[in-house]
Amino acid sequence: MLGLQSEKLIPTRPPLSTTREEISAIQKALKAFSQNEGLTEFGSEEVARYYQAAKLLMQNSEYLPAQKLLREVLRVAPYSSATISALADCAGHLGQAKEKLQLLKVLVTVDDNPEYVLALADTYYLENYDQEALKYYLHTLHTLPENAPQLF
């Protein structure tokens, strides 16, 4: 699908597993975001555009091509909490529960945002890991500031 060269994303031949529909969806999403919207955590406008294209694909329930784009973005910006969160969301929609759990574990080590910790707790709970879920629910409650919006 996409390749990396000199820390920039450049289009290359898609892998054999990429369908024509996925390629078409990716191309449409990239065209829709021809301008950068000020996302600086990615290091370049081009990488930010790929992230935005993936988010647009997700809004249109195109999770598989979005997941492929996000994996490419993650190679360039490996500590991007927004990218890891979006990848976890894609994994959840694609029924990849174990991958979602792994991504959320990485996410809370990168960014201890209470919403991310809560998402990890919820995922543990849904996967019947009750002790781990309780641990992260309690962690979320203890780290919330008093003026925080309601999460539960």
Side-chain angles (χ1 to χ4, degrees):
M1 177 181 65
L2 302 171
L4 290 174
Q5 190 170 21
S6 303
E7 294 195 18
K8 290 186 178 180
L9 291 172
I10 57 171
T12 60
R13 291 187 331 193
L16 295 176
S17 63
T18 304
T19 66
R20 288 181 186 202
E21 292 82 19
E22 290 171 348
I23 293 170
S24 176
I26 290 169
Q27 289 171 340
K28 286 179 187 175
L30 287 173
K31 286 179 186 175
F33 286 98
S34 60
Q35 296 179 344
N36 180 21
E37 296 184 6
L39 296 171
T40 58
E41 80 175 89
F42 302 104
S44 78
E45 286 184 29
E46 191 173 7
V47 177
R49 281 184 49 227
Y50 278 67
Y51 171 79
Q52 287 294 332
K55 292 296 284 185
L56 178 65
L57 288 167
M58 291 172 66
Q59 289 173 1
N60 291 308
S61 300
E62 297 282 350
Y63 296 105
L64 191 57
Q67 185 180 51
K68 291 178 181 184
L69 271 178
L70 290 166
R71 284 183 177 148
E72 294 297 326
V73 171
L74 199 60
R75 288 184 187 171
V76 177
Y79 301 106
S80 167
S81 57
T83 304
I84 299 168
S85 176
L87 261 172
D89 191 32
C90 282
H93 284 284
L94 293 170
Q96 302 166 343
K98 288 183 180 182
E99 183 173 348
K100 179 180 180 179
L101 193 57
Q102 289 298 98
L103 286 164
L104 288 172
K105 284 193 237 180
V106 170
L107 181 59
V108 298
T109 62
V110 170
D111 186 346
D112 198 22
N113 181 323
E115 290 182 23
Y116 298 150
V117 178
L118 179 60
L120 177 59
D122 287 342
T123 303
Y124 271 126
Y125 178 75
L126 291 172
E127 292 301 310
N128 296 317
Y129 294 108
D130 295 338
Q131 293 290 12
E132 288 295 315
L134 182 59
K135 172 182 155 184
Y136 285 101
Y137 282 132
L138 291 173
H139 177 76
T140 302
L141 289 172
H142 290 194
T143 59
L144 281 176
E146 289 187 28
N147 61 351
Q150 185 175 358
L151 289 177
F152 297 95

